[in-house]
Structure formats: C-alpha cells, structure tokens
Amino acid sequence: SIMAHYVRIMPGKIFRLNLSCTTPYNADFDGDEMNFHALQTIEARAEAENIMAVKHNIVTPQSHRPVMSLVMDGFLGTTELSHGDSFLNKTELFDWMMETDSLSPPPIPAICHPRPIWTGKQALSMIMPTKLRYKTRKAVTEEEINNVCIHDGQVLYGQFGKKTLGRSQGSLIHIIWLDFGPQACIDFINKLQRGVHRWFSEQGFSIGVSDFIAGPEVQKEIEREYQEAITEAAALTKEHEINHRLNAARNGMGRAAADTLDRSNFLYRMVKSGVKGSMMNILQIMAMVGQQNSGGKRIQSSIGYKTLPCFKPNDPSPEALGMVRNPYMVGMDPAEFFFSAIVGRDGLINTAINTAVTGYIQRRLVKA
C-alpha cells in the first residue's frame, strides 16, 4: 500500500496518521516503521493528489469495496451510541456539535421532562449527508444490530454493527463514497471519529475478570458436553473422524457458555458489534481451549511410543494427543501448555517463511 497524505509538521520523530488509514497499510503502533517520499515536481504532486490521495483509495478497485472504515474505539463507540438506550444531555450534545462542526442541534429533544435529553441516533443524524437514504435488508433473526434505516439523513432505527460500519460491500462508508463523493466520505469519517471519541471517552467501557467467568450451571453443562464428545470420539475408529469430533466438542461447549451472555458482558458486546474478537475467543476463555492440531493432525507421538514422558505408552486418550480440556481462565497443566506451545511455534515458523515468500514475490513483481 502506498497512499498520498497531506503533511502537517508536528514535534517528534514519528509518523502520526488517522487510525482509519492503518488498515490498508496493515500498520499498528508497536514499533512499525514507514517510508516517506516527499514529491518534488508539480506533475508528481498533481498525480499524488488526484490518484493516490487517501480519499480516492477508500474503495479499492481490487474488489470494489472499502478498505478503510472505522476501527477500534470509533467503531465500538458508534455501535454503543446508536443503541436504543444511549442518550446525550445538553452538555454532551454541545460537545458533540463542537467536535463535529455541526451548526444547529436537533430542533426537539427526544425527552423534554424533567430535563431535555437527545438520543444517540439524533446525534448521528446531525453528521449524515442530508439526502442520504440507506436501509439494510431485514435480518433473518429479529436483531436490532445491523438492521439500520436512514431516511434523508435522519437515522430512524437500528444499531450500527459490522455490516453498517465495516469494510463490506454496501456498507455506510461505501454508499456515502459512491453517492456523495470521496470528499464527503472522508469528512463523514472524520466527524464521526472526533464526535464518537469525545463521547465514548466519557462513558467508560472496561473488561474485567467477571466477564470471563462462567457460572456453576454453565460449567455443569460444559462438562456434560465434553463427556459426550469424549464418549462419541472413543467409539470412532478413523483418525480424521475422531479429530473432527473433538474439534466440534469446543463448539458445543461454547454454545452452552454463549447462551448465558448478554449486554452486561463487555467482551460479548465487542464480539457482537463486530469490532474485535470472535465467539472462539470467548469460548476458549470460558469453556475450553480445545484440541491442538499441528500440520492438520492431532499431536503425534514422536517414536510411535508416547507424546510426552508423563503419559503411558500408546495412550489412546484425547488428553495424551493434544486435547486441552481447561479454558484459559482456569489455566493449563504442563502437558496442555506444552501442546499449545507446539501449535504456537508452528504458527511462528509459518509466518516467518510466508513473509520471505511474499517479500520475494513483491520484489519480482515490482521489477517486472
């Protein structure tokens, strides 16, 4: 990825850039380096400004969808702001207006007595292009999230989720870019980020240990699912069938844990909005880490004897072949830890090899 940005000189020897631009660069802020080309000639500058500028590259010609959108706090904050129970008092609304350069507040507050308060949707409507019409198809499950309707710039109903704010085809960013042009699109992203960051920083959103612990009833249900999976796997003979059944065990146990989660669980809130994390993360924390596979198979015994000295010779039990029964919240025993370290090492080696391969392909492509 190479894009043209407008330069603002600031103190310090570091690049600073808008969070939304980090996605195409695949950049994060843990010591990444970037290269900077200062264009000298009028022609080069004109080309950069009209072809390579960030606003012209929000939608990629590779797959006709946005490659940039809201990330992290901006995304999560917008999801929370558009939720039905989010309200702004007069102070918060004026803060929002200041951050988003809005000239006039909504004429009528949503609730007038005992004090005027406005809904998050009214705040979001203030920064929408006036003629914007946007409606997502009604989801199969009657969930409010992602089921959004905007008519002439007024957000009527729905909670913004991954389908609306994400980088998929037909997302809000995509529609604004197509219907109102690149400049309107980056103005919208900027206003939304500034307003939401200000509002969200005063709300508080923290994850604590209580978000990771499954209750006693859930733990019983999880244990029952596990025993069922072990019994079924023992009855099978073919290795790939056994592996498939053991891998599926985690999903059943995860469902038992997931059914107990609601909006009071902040980890679940993040996963549900689509900003970060997956159900897999939740169930590995709460239910079970699951079967460890290396090279598409269960952990094999090296000499055809045993995987680790602590197991009996030719032990057929799942635990001896890389099944990690404990969730991360409980912690792993030494054998389980060793098996998960094998898979971690596998991943590191693949990453290192693939980086070299990708780099060499890139070099050949550039040279060609």
Side-chain angles (χ1 to χ4, degrees), residues 226 246-247 249-250 253 283-284 287-293 322-327 339-340:
Y226 179 69
L246 291 174
N247 284 325
R250 184 167 47 190
M253 295 163 72
L283 59 94
Q284 283 194 323
M288 163 172 90
V289 175
Q291 176 66 49
Q292 303 295 305
N293 288 308
M323 171 59 95
V324 179
R325 165 63 190 95
N326 290 314
F339 290 141
S340 77

Side-chain angles (χ1 to χ4, degrees), residues 138-145 147:
K138 204 151 185 73
V140 187
T141 53
E142 287 292 315
E143 279 190 350
E144 195 192 0
I145 212 161
N147 188 19

Side-chain angles (χ1 to χ4, degrees), residues 266-284:
F266 285 86
L267 181 64
Y268 179 66
R269 250 197 239 192
M270 283 204 289
V271 172
K272 195 166 188 273
S273 70
V275 58
K276 267 282 180 214
S278 63
M279 281 314 292
M280 175 67 76
N281 298 137
I282 292 186
L283 59 94
Q284 283 194 323

Side-chain angles (χ1 to χ4, degrees), residues 225-294:
E225 288 270 1
Y226 179 69
Q227 293 307 332
E228 201 175 286
I230 296 295
T231 317
E232 282 181 32
L236 299 168
T237 49
K238 293 196 177 78
E239 174 61 26
H240 70 267
E241 287 175 355
I242 297 174
N243 197 7
H244 182 74
R245 182 63 191 94
L246 291 174
N247 284 325
R250 184 167 47 190
N251 303 339
M253 295 163 72
R255 271 194 299 277
D259 290 344
T260 62
L261 301 176
D262 56 12
R263 260 184 76 76
S264 64
N265 187 304
F266 285 86
L267 181 64
Y268 179 66
R269 250 197 239 192
M270 283 204 289
V271 172
K272 195 166 188 273
S273 70
V275 58
K276 267 282 180 214
S278 63
M279 281 314 292
M280 175 67 76
N281 298 137
I282 292 186
L283 59 94
Q284 283 194 323
I285 292 169
M286 293 175 77
M288 163 172 90
V289 175
Q291 176 66 49
Q292 303 295 305
N293 288 308
S294 173

Side-chain angles (χ1 to χ4, degrees), residues 11 45 54 95 165 187 194 197 208 222 231 233 257 261-262 315 318:
R45 290 172 62 180
V54 172
D95 279 347
L165 291 171
D187 287 346
R194 284 165 189 259
H197 283 155
I222 289 172
T231 317
L261 301 176
D262 56 12
D315 188 347

